[in-house]
Amino acid sequence: MSTLFSPLKLRELTIPNRAWMAPMCQYQADPTGPQAGVVNDWHLGHLFARAAGGLGLILLEATAVAPEGRITPGCLGLWNETQARALTRVTRFLEEHDVVPAIQLAHSGRKGSASAPWLGGGPVAPEQGGWDTVAPSAVAYGNFPTPHELSVDEIQRLVGNFADAARRALDAGFKVVEVHGAHGFLINSFLSPHSNHRTDAYGGSFERRARFALEVVDAVRAVWPDELPVFFRTSATDWLAAENPADNRQGWTGDDTVRLAEELLAHGVDLLDVSSGGVAHDARITTGPGYQVPYAAAVRDRTDMPVGAVGLITEAEQAEEILASGKADAVLLGRELLRDPHWAHRAAGQLGAAARWPESYGYAV
């Protein structure tokens, strides 16, 4: 039997297979007005096409817990009830097609107020529709403006923002919530010594740098049902001195990720979604097929935390080997699903598993 197409149970939720869609920002929401941050026809078409493609779980794109938590003005949000109500159409459709609806809650931090990638991805000034960004320390990301260093009171309000967004996600029908702690965004920038230069209770030692992440997880877990899982996405390494000896900048490492996984498990996280990079704009990242899988495998080997593997996973046999050899518990695909929404159906055929084609597509089998 194919491991890729076997079910995975986390808490009381059974996910029908282990081929999942990773969060991929679309930058297509209205930037202002009553529909700001609300899913629209583009998002529905994008998500519904993949829901018919045989995946076990779909993670919606990074969804901001506050207006200033967006990456771009066109990002989705979950800071109000209008946004939550619109998402019920997504969760209902996904469940009708036996796909678990999941959502990633995020705050962009110092990498926010950016233009869409096809517009260059550079900073957007407040007078042009952008906003002033925030971070653990007043340290700019690349050519972006220097962010505001958060006070302790402001940090606590952000913890509340994550909890409020999780409540709305539950009301909207999501069965999994993922806390975005990767790619140089706010939580990741607290974790990494490259971007966190604080000397108070939220900076310095590993324990202090991890405090904000764990407080967010605790707040989300407190409002999320015991029977449903919480995920956490991490950047396993900053790709600084640990991977590149010629780069003397100190950053987050694979060993730090293993240590964080143990903490997250103790705080009620059910799966670690293992990515990498994003905190240093000029880090040298060595990519290739499955290049981040060893970091997921290390967490799985050294802790009891289930893990998801991501990063240039494109072939059915490749995905099957990752899972069957015990390197991960699920694989998350991104760009490959943009190229082929029916990747899971094709993979099932190649691996001798039953494809879950929609009834209306049955004649295509």
Side-chain angles (χ1 to χ4, degrees), residues 194 237-253 280 283-284:
H194 177 72
T237 175
D238 290 339
W239 294 94
L240 297 177
E243 282 74 27
N244 298 303
D247 190 332
N248 61 9
R249 294 174 294 177
Q250 298 303 306
W252 187 260
T253 69
R284 185 166 58 87

Side-chain angles (χ1 to χ4, degrees), residues 41-65:
D41 288 349
W42 173 268
H43 302 96
L44 298 179
H46 165 67
L47 294 166
F48 291 178
R50 276 111 201 129
L55 300 165
L57 177 146
I58 287 179
L59 256 168
L60 265 67
E61 64 191 77
T63 303
V65 300

Side-chain angles (χ1 to χ4, degrees), residues 207-239:
E207 292 83 2
R208 291 181 176 183
R209 286 183 281 112
R211 181 176 179 178
F212 178 55
L214 295 178
E215 287 182 346
V216 169
V217 166
D218 287 345
V220 169
R221 186 76 264 180
V223 302
W224 201 249
D226 288 343
E227 66 271 18
L228 294 178
V230 171
F231 295 177
F232 187 96
R233 181 165 243 200
T234 187
S235 279
T237 175
D238 290 339
W239 294 94

Side-chain angles (χ1 to χ4, degrees), residues 161-362:
N161 291 156
F162 275 92
D164 291 342
R167 287 192 195 93
R168 295 187 185 102
L170 183 64
D171 290 343
F174 287 96
K175 295 298 186 287
V176 175
V177 64
E178 177 173 90
V179 175
H180 196 351
H183 301 159
F185 299 125
L186 186 63
I187 292 175
N188 187 206
S189 67
F190 269 88
L191 290 169
S192 175
H194 177 72
S195 48
N196 184 346
H197 300 176
R198 298 176 76 98
T199 57
D200 64 359
Y202 290 92
S205 67
F206 172 93
E207 292 83 2
R208 291 181 176 183
R209 286 183 281 112
R211 181 176 179 178
F212 178 55
L214 295 178
E215 287 182 346
V216 169
V217 166
D218 287 345
V220 169
R221 186 76 264 180
V223 302
W224 201 249
D226 288 343
E227 66 271 18
L228 294 178
V230 171
F231 295 177
F232 187 96
R233 181 165 243 200
T234 187
S235 279
T237 175
D238 290 339
W239 294 94
L240 297 177
E243 282 74 27
N244 298 303
D247 190 332
N248 61 9
R249 294 174 294 177
Q250 298 303 306
W252 187 260
T253 69
D255 287 341
D256 290 329
T257 295
V258 171
R259 187 175 175 185
L260 178 65
E262 293 174 333
E263 292 289 336
L264 291 169
L265 188 63
H267 285 257
V269 170
D270 302 285
L271 181 137
L272 191 66
D273 178 2
V274 185
S275 187
S276 72
V279 82
H281 74 284
D282 56 351
R284 185 166 58 87
I285 301 176
T286 303
T287 65
Y291 71 102
Q292 295 171 146
V293 173
Y295 296 104
V299 172
R300 197 173 190 272
D301 183 56
R302 295 166 59 185
T303 76
D304 293 325
M305 175 72 83
V307 298
V310 307
L312 293 180
I313 299 170
T314 60
E315 302 297 331
E317 294 81 1
Q318 176 194 16
E320 179 71 15
E321 188 279 330
I322 290 167
L323 300 176
S325 63
K327 295 170 186 168
D329 298 275
V331 295
L332 293 95
L333 296 92
R335 291 178 179 87
E336 189 62 20
L337 290 176
L338 299 182
R339 291 185 283 266
D340 182 4
H342 293 282
W343 183 92
H345 291 321
R346 301 182 198 285
Q350 292 169 19
L351 297 172
R356 298 185 301 125
W357 289 94
E359 292 178 353
S360 298
Y361 292 180

